[in-house]
Amino acid sequence: MNPTYVQVAVNIPQVSGVFDYHVPEDLGGEIVPGCLVVVPFGSRQVQGVVLRQVDQPQVADTRPVNALIDFEPVLTPIQLRFAQWLAERTLSPLSTCIDLMVPPGLSQQADMLYHLNDAQLSDPARLNDVQKRTIALLQERGDLRGRQLEAAFPRRNWKPAVQALVRMGVLMTRPVLLPPQVQPKMARNVQLAIPADQVGQQDALLGRAGSQAFERRQRALRTLADEPGVVDVTWVYAASGSSLADLKYLAERGLVRLGESEVIRDPLRNLTWAPAEAPPLTLAQQKVWEEIHRAVHTSAQGKASPPFLLHGVTGSGKTEMYLLAVEETLRQGRQAIVLVPEISLTPQTVRRFQARFPGKVGLIHSRLSQGERYDTWRRARAGLLQVIVGPRSALFSPLPNVGLIVVDECHDESYYQAESAPHYNAVAAAVAMAREAGAVVMLGTATPDVSLMYGFQLAKWKVLHLPDRILAHREAVRAQMNQFGLQEPVMDGSEATASLPLPPVKIVDMRLELKMGNRSIFSRELTSALEETLAAKQQAILFLNRRGSASYVFCRDCGAVLRCPRCDLPLTYHRGEDMLICHTCGYRRKMPNKCPMCASEHIRQYGMGTEKVEQLLKERFPHAQVLRYDAETTAGKNAHDLLLNLFANHQADILIGTQMLTKGLDLPLVTLVGVILADVGLNFPDYRAAERTFQLLTQVAGRAGRSPLGGRVVLQTFQPKHYAILTAARHDYQAFYAEELAQRRRLRQPPFTRFVRLLYRDLKAAAAEESAQEMARQLRGWIAAGNYKQTDLIGPVPCYFNRLNGYYRWQIIVRGPDPAGLLRGRSLGDWVVEVDPPNTL
DNA sequence: AGCACGCCGACT
DNA sequence: GTCGGCGTGCTC
């Protein structure tokens, strides 16, 4: 038989090529595209994924595929194509894109094992700190892998020092590849191997009559005789006092059969949901549904369907559209992926899916154990789950026949993977994945990114509108009003689907407040609005945009600002502990009494944190119950739900919160939303600063007046004439879009050009700058050589966050019609490459 | 990433 | 003369 050859992408993030291997006879036929295999690579064994079979290998001498890790392919053919698209799009190695699709724990990367030799060291005094600590660690814990040393020396450049020990003969190294860390979970079971009525005649086989073991074995047999069929061993242990040894003893004598069966680790196992039925649709929903319904059908017949952008304000019934689309997709025998921003923050959305499709939903989120995640992944692959709901990573679920991809709140930043390569945007990726799969894609939001909207208009893809907020809380509000002995408000409309107006927004010019002698953070407008809300026994939300503001500490005499020694960013003052904390790296220090620069005692905190707002609020409204909703108070496991339930049940009157408040909360009794300072964030040196501010304000304003009680919004700002604030106050997306687009066109920013951001990080400031200058020279050379007339560089410059985690950061933005084209296929070394980055900070 | 090969500076 | 710096290239 001819040897078969396969092309393999090896699981080493830095290796971008593909390699050919031959398939040994004993694996012939098993190895198909998508399989996870072990292959020799240089001196080590590495994991790889088979991309395709090839007739002719690229080199004369091939090495063999060593082992097959899983008999089923781990990637579907669609996923293999999708991974290749993603690699090209993000300028990332294919292996990193493939690795997104292999569940953590199953995927393993090659590592190095470090072993301490017995021989004594001649001159221990000459060793440096890392070397001494490495030796101590190895003495204490035995052999260690590179990953473990990495954890022991965070942010330290330990490799050269350890390599020196290897050269000195103190250490030995050996490449290792760990087996997968996840496996199907098996449970032992047992069943009787003889007819139940013969159980009483086996005493001769049960050991010495009358002994304890005899008694246990006899009881075990009787238990099984009463229980026909296969039972869990633990059940037998509990009923008879026997142990595995006893059952094995019985099995050896042919009396019982031991077996194993898989136990699914299902995070939703113990939850039951009252099945929910679809509510009646509004007219707008019906029109949207007609479009989606048609698309789901034509795509199930193999015809491509362009993406949909579902532009609808908060509470306009987008989720119901998703639910219907999923239902129809399932009816066509296909599966659906639903992406949501942050699972812990949108329990309401998730619950709706679970209630509508009981038993069919697989949930992915960050709190799942590796085993749960692995089992969910395998059930998806086996076609046992029809709907996967999760964050951006859920897009990579191995569903056999994806017919629908939903991206809810598609403007959300969490859809962009900023932390590690590949730096991808799950919205763009969902569109590409849907194209590969022949699936329908629905992108839903109240505030589409202007680039996305512009893209839809250029491509003439359909934008569907749901302009009205649906009054869905009539019953809930009525119940709550009765509970508090309040009179029922007058409600417009009589149908269940009556719509609600968007809340009026009042812009308050804080400059005038200062001129009028009001030095408080609460304007007179906001103060009286709060008073009225409290008097009416309704609820308020105060929104504080922390990002970019700073509760920083500065000296009123010399002006020095206290900064993090690692990140160079202003430190945040925490009143309770009297501590200064860096919110980027976690550095903390005691609040000093004197300015470290000039020793003045006039040093104090400035700016606002949620704690400060809480304190001021309590001073001004001593009788109000105030809740704080921020990273600190929601740190516990179910703290989010707990806090929100507390507030939803009117245990508190005012909720103070940050960004987290903008996510899909649904709090009907809230009639007032106050934004402490709307222009925070507007002055970031970033092309999307205005857009982010508009999106944030629009989302926050949407929290008010979601009931027949009505509602209003107060925006406090020092820039009352800024278009982002004016248009957000009018709920006027179109006006913002037009103005923002005009700005972007004028400033040659996306979507009229495209950005690739190149980021360099170095522990030494000079080295970072030098590398940046060198890269810029190279880039200019490529631009000139390739005659890229419309492509230019922004930078090199230090980043806005010019020091993060101890690293100095420099960046270069390559701007042009196709900056990725300029860079494709070139080696960028240690540079972080981001194509179409959502921010350039 | 790891490792080999390769070409210039200070040490037994 | 060699040991060792890290630059460059390769891993099927």
Side-chain angles (χ1 to χ4, degrees), chain A residues 743-754:
Chain A
Q743 298 268 5
R744 303 269 186 97
R745 190 191 298 271
R746 195 164 55 76
L747 297 168
R748 290 190 61 219
Q749 289 168 343
F752 300 101
T753 57
R754 294 182 70 178

Side-chain angles (χ1 to χ4, degrees), chain A residues 476-679:
Chain A
V477 172
R478 182 174 289 148
Q480 275 169 319
M481 299 309 282
N482 289 339
Q483 186 187 337
F484 293 106
L486 299 172
Q487 207 176 19
E488 212 169 293
V490 183
M491 304 186 193
D492 299 334
S494 54
E495 310 148 68
T497 58
S499 66
L500 278 171
L502 285 161
V505 179
K506 172 81 183 169
I507 298 175
V508 177
D509 186 345
M510 291 305 276
R511 296 172 303 183
L512 286 178
E513 291 292 314
L514 269 180
K515 273 190 197 144
M516 303 299 282
N518 177 13
R519 316 206 73 204
S520 154
I521 61 161
F522 305 118
S523 61
R524 292 159 300 168
E525 179 88 25
L526 183 55
T527 305
S528 60
L530 279 167
E531 277 164 359
E532 287 162 27
T533 304
L534 291 172
K537 298 231 177 343
Q538 294 167 357
Q539 291 182 298
I541 287 176
L542 288 186
F543 176 75
L544 183 69
N545 189 359
R546 293 285 316 282
R547 198 169 167 202
S549 92
S551 46
Y552 57 87
V553 172
F554 78 116
C555 171
R556 281 194 286 178
D557 286 336
C558 76
V561 172
L562 296 193
R563 289 169 183 278
C564 172
R566 295 211 286 258
C567 303
D568 213 35
L569 290 171
L571 292 164
T572 303
Y573 180 61
H574 281 240
R575 189 179 187 78
E577 313 158 82
D578 200 34
M579 292 290 275
L580 293 168
I581 297 176
C582 171
H583 281 255
T584 299
C585 73
Y587 168 88
R588 37 203 303 147
R589 61 165 291 178
K590 196 105 186 100
M591 169 76 186
N593 297 324
K594 289 178 180 172
C595 171
M597 303 300 286
C598 71
S600 156
E601 287 177 14
H602 295 142
I603 179 168
R604 59 159 206 175
Q605 68 273 24
Y606 187 82
M608 282 304 139
T610 45
E611 289 166 75
K612 181 79 176 166
V613 174
E614 182 185 28
Q615 183 207 335
L616 293 171
L617 202 58
K618 279 178 170 165
E619 283 168 17
R620 183 65 187 72
F621 302 98
H623 299 300
Q625 289 295 317
V626 179
L627 267 186
R628 195 148 56 80
Y629 185 70
D630 56 24
E632 206 176 310
T633 57
T634 55
K637 194 163 182 204
N638 289 318
H640 284 289
D641 267 354
L642 226 66
L643 260 171
L644 291 177
N645 281 336
L646 218 61
F647 190 65
N649 293 331
H650 208 160
Q651 308 277 96
D653 307 302
I654 304 173
L655 186 67
I656 305 171
T658 54
Q659 292 359 349
M660 289 189 278
L661 281 180
T662 60
K663 316 286 174 174
L665 308 180
D666 196 354
L667 301 163
L669 270 182
V670 171
T671 55
L672 171 65
V673 167
V675 179
I676 303 292
L677 205 55
D679 42 326

Side-chain angles (χ1 to χ4, degrees), chain A residues 156-174:
Chain A
R156 287 285 288 274
N157 191 209
W158 55 273
K159 279 197 181 132
V162 174
Q163 212 47 51
L165 289 177
V166 173
R167 272 196 310 278
M168 289 152 71
V170 181
L171 300 187
M172 264 180 6
T173 60
R174 182 164 62 87

